[in-house]
Amino acid sequence: AQTVTQSQPEMSVQEAETVTLSCTYDTSESDYYLFWYKQPPSRQMILVIRQEAYKQQNATENRFSVNFQKAAKSFSLKISDSQLGDAAMYFCAYRSPSGNTPLVFGKGTRLSVIA
Amino acid sequence: NAGVMQNPRHLVRRRGQEARLRCSPMKGHSHVYWYRQLPEEGLKFMVYLQKENIIDESGMPKERFSAEFPKEGPSILRIQQVVRGDSAAYFCASSPRLVIHEQFFGPGTRLTVL
């Protein structure tokens, strides 16, 4: 079974600075999908970014980018120019490519943004 | 196109009562997933349904919990004889028939058992 580990329960960053959230995963599959979800105090799960394992290029969405290291099974999220609205729980998630499979989530990292 | 709808948003039950959580997937989506989030935890998969079929219920407790996704109407997650340990946020996600990358989440139902 696949597992996802987020080793940083809490992180903080100064407004306008850059922060990196860590995620590692364990799988025997060669192809899969990885995601970062944001959960603000409203509890709504918001997709931030996704990465297909077969793509070598790291995904980027505006101020959010990932560092995908397939051999190391690492998938970190970098948030540049942090804003107060980035404060939230961030969850890393894994999905097998076979059929409509469920997501496997890490325990999350709580990000605080300091003004 | 409305997003995934869940109701109620908040539900309070006393121990021993039944809880019914509803999920209406996005229009055109025929796959529904239920996840549970305990306090300070990530989401844990419970059950995956397609219209009128349970595809994978490996994450759902064998007793007291059941789920359905009828041909017409929303998906229902039912918890009988609730206990305090059932207090959690329950999220529904949906995806269309075709295999795509992401699932679209509803706002969740927060269940509190007194």
Side-chain angles (χ1 to χ4, degrees):
Chain A
Q2 294 83 18
T3 58
V4 176
T5 301
Q6 291 179 252
S7 58
Q8 306 155 315
E10 295 183 353
M11 291 282 284
S12 62
V13 62
Q14 290 283 144
E15 199 174 3
E17 297 293 311
T18 296
V19 65
T20 298
L21 308 184
S22 301
C23 172
T24 59
Y25 55 93
D26 188 24
T27 183
S28 58
E29 296 175 316
S30 59
D31 195 18
Y32 43 86
Y33 303 108
L34 296 165
F35 306 87
W36 278 97
Y37 279 88
K38 172 184 178 181
Q39 187 180 46
S42 68
R43 289 190 164 266
Q44 176 73 54
M45 294 290 287
I46 302 166
L47 179 65
V48 175
I49 200 166
R50 72 164 189 252
Q51 174 83 40
E52 292 89 345
Y54 63 85
K55 291 185 177 178
Q56 291 188 327
Q57 187 173 5
N58 289 324
T60 299
E61 288 286 342
N62 300 313
R63 297 182 295 107
F64 298 87
S65 61
V66 298
N67 184 3
F68 173 48
Q69 302 287 330
K70 190 173 184 179
K73 296 181 182 175
S74 171
F75 182 60
S76 60
L77 175 70
K78 186 170 85 171
I79 306 174
S80 304
D81 186 25
S82 297
Q83 300 175 0
L84 294 177
D86 295 333
M89 285 290 290
Y90 286 83
F91 293 98
C92 179
Y94 173 102
R95 189 178 190 189
S96 170
S98 51
N100 269 313
T101 51
L103 293 162
V104 178
F105 285 89
K107 289 194 172 186
T109 296
R110 183 179 301 280
L111 178 66
S112 302
V113 180
I114 303 164
Chain B
N1 190 6
V4 178
M5 311 284 284
Q6 287 188 251
N7 67 80
R9 294 294 307 275
H10 301 275
L11 182 61
V12 179
R13 286 287 179 266
R14 296 192 180 279
R15 282 178 295 171
Q17 292 184 319
E18 178 180 286
R20 281 187 177 235
L21 288 63
R22 294 176 182 76
C23 168
S24 296
M26 289 180 70
K27 188 176 180 180
H29 287 196
S30 56
H31 301 260
V32 166
Y33 308 79
W34 285 93
Y35 295 85
R36 177 165 66 175
Q37 183 179 30
L38 295 170
E40 305 303 317
E41 294 279 326
L43 281 69
K44 294 280 176 61
F45 166 71
M46 298 182 73
V47 60
Y48 161 39
L49 310 103
Q50 293 178 23
K51 284 284 188 182
E52 301 183 277
N53 288 302
I54 296 175
I55 307 302
D56 180 357
E57 56 182 347
S58 59
M60 197 158 67
K62 294 285 186 281
E63 297 181 357
R64 303 187 299 108
F65 286 74
S66 62
E68 63 177 11
F69 188 17
K71 188 176 181 180
E72 301 291 335
S75 175
I76 307 286
L77 178 67
R78 183 180 177 205
I79 311 172
Q80 295 178 291
Q81 299 175 325
V82 296
V83 301
R84 289 220 172 106
D86 297 332
S87 296
Y90 292 82
F91 288 90
C92 167
S94 73
S95 64
R97 180 190 299 271
L98 296 174
V99 176
I100 64 166
H101 307 302
E102 64 256 34
Q103 298 173 2
F104 299 84
F105 281 83
T109 294
R110 179 175 287 199
L111 172 66
T112 301
V113 179
L114 301 177

